[in-house]
Amino acid sequence: MDRTPYKCTQNGNVGKCVADPDACTAEELPTIRTAGVDVMIPNTSGVSTTRGGGGDGQSQVGTTSLRGAGSSAGTSTSTRCIGSKTPEAPQGAQSQSAEDEKPVVITVTQKDFAKLPVKAASAHAGPEQGWLPANMDLVLYADSEPQVLETELLDTPVRIRATPVEYRWDLGDGNVLVTDDPGEPWPSKDVSATFAYEGWYDVTLTTTYEGQFSVDGGEWQDIDGTVEVASNPQEVYSKSLESRLVNPDRPHDEEKDPFVPKRSKDTEGPRDPNATTKEI
């Protein structure tokens, strides 16, 4: 425990405390004369007490008095000590202050990542006209770039970066193609597939994104987990081409004999009994 910044002496029934010059600045104040030697020294940096006579003290903030049995006011002078040392805070207050000063750590979880409006990649499947012959290469590719989104957590700006890392193509006939290559338009065949049967199919792309986050312009940190975002299905008609006699003098009637029929329950393509999931 630190020593008291006062030196106290007794003169008859008057107790006098003198400030320690190494710890305080002294000035004269009225003192309290007691039958014992209980003396209270007013102190702007806290309450300091010298006890004699055995009385129980009564304290007040500011001009505090400490009185024992049979005390009375006197005319002598004592010393007021203004401590140069900052009083220590109670232990509980120190603990609370330490907790208040702990830095706030901001992080982004996979659940936070999944709630963000990450845009779906733009999917392309087959020729622009929307059909191709059965067993012909169906070229698949995605327009997909990293995305940066901005949000706020605990009143602090946070940036989220979503980067595509995997593309899953569901061909609609039971076959699935998985790749980390976004693919390229025709004539590239790096990412491609075929339909074995005639009919309408929905080709659906699901893109997997990894995430990183940056707090208030700081370094990028990895998010633990990924999110998957599905694109709008692409309708493709697989046409089984057959040789047939054609009368060149008879015009082709699109309404009676459409090359690509309207989509209906009867024109849906069948499932492929030999369907697989293929990684490339």
Side-chain angles (χ1 to χ4, degrees):
M1 179 181 295
D2 294 340
R3 65 185 178 86
T4 178
Y6 308 102
K7 296 179 180 178
C8 298
T9 60
Q10 179 183 350
N11 183 8
N13 63 348
V14 176
K16 185 175 183 179
C17 289
V18 180
D20 185 341
D22 295 332
C24 307
T25 301
E27 63 179 70
E28 296 297 316
L29 284 177
T31 190
I32 295 171
R33 179 173 299 175
T34 68
V37 198
D38 290 358
V39 177
M40 178 59 205
I41 305 302
N43 186 342
T44 58
S45 66
V47 175
S48 177
T49 305
T50 301
R51 295 188 176 182
D56 292 332
Q58 300 175 354
S59 61
Q60 300 173 355
V61 176
T63 57
T64 306
S65 64
L66 177 66
R67 300 189 179 185
S71 63
S72 62
T75 58
S76 298
T77 58
S78 66
T79 303
R80 175 176 180 174
C81 181
I82 304 173
S84 61
K85 187 175 181 181
T86 303
E88 294 185 2
Q91 185 174 0
Q94 288 181 333
S95 177
Q96 183 63 41
S97 176
E99 290 181 4
D100 293 343
E101 293 177 1
K102 286 182 180 178
V104 177
V105 178
I106 295 178
T107 188
V108 178
T109 66
Q110 190 277 336
K111 289 184 178 179
D112 297 327
F113 189 23
K115 293 177 182 177
L116 295 173
V118 179
K119 294 181 179 179
S122 180
H124 303 271
E128 292 184 1
Q129 65 267 27
W131 74 272
L132 81 167
N135 297 307
M136 180 173 282
D137 290 316
L138 174 72
V139 175
L140 307 168
Y141 68 97
D143 293 329
S144 180
E145 297 292 338
Q147 305 172 40
V148 176
L149 303 95
E150 297 184 357
T151 186
E152 234 182 45
L153 295 174
L154 300 178
D155 296 325
T156 303
V158 178
R159 303 176 74 202
I160 311 294
R161 181 169 60 194
T163 304
V165 293
E166 185 180 88
Y167 306 89
R168 181 183 179 90
W169 295 92
D170 185 334
L171 302 180
D173 64 350
N175 288 289
V176 175
L177 189 64
V178 181
T179 178
D180 59 3
D181 186 350
E184 296 180 2
W186 178 271
S188 172
K189 297 181 182 179
D190 291 343
V191 182
S192 60
T194 60
F195 289 114
Y197 302 95
E198 184 175 82
W200 284 103
Y201 294 99
D202 283 328
V203 179
T204 304
L205 169 65
T206 300
T207 306
T208 299
Y209 291 88
E210 287 183 346
Q212 292 81 36
F213 69 97
S214 168
V215 178
D216 200 16
E219 64 180 7
W220 289 102
Q221 304 175 61
D222 291 338
I223 297 174
D224 187 13
T226 60
V227 297
E228 296 182 348
V229 183
S231 303
N232 292 327
Q234 304 297 301
E235 292 185 330
V236 178
Y237 184 73
S238 171
K239 177 68 177 180
S240 177
L241 299 180
E242 298 175 356
S243 299
R244 50 185 169 179
L245 295 175
V246 177
N247 184 351
D249 297 328
R250 183 171 65 85
H252 180 66
D253 189 338
E254 289 289 346
E255 291 185 0
K256 292 183 178 180
D257 186 20
F259 185 68
V260 177
K262 291 182 179 180
R263 190 165 189 175
S264 67
K265 183 179 179 180
D266 294 333
T267 59
E268 289 293 316
R271 301 278 294 181
D272 183 351
N274 300 314
T276 61
T277 296
K278 180 181 179 183
E279 295 186 9
I280 61 173

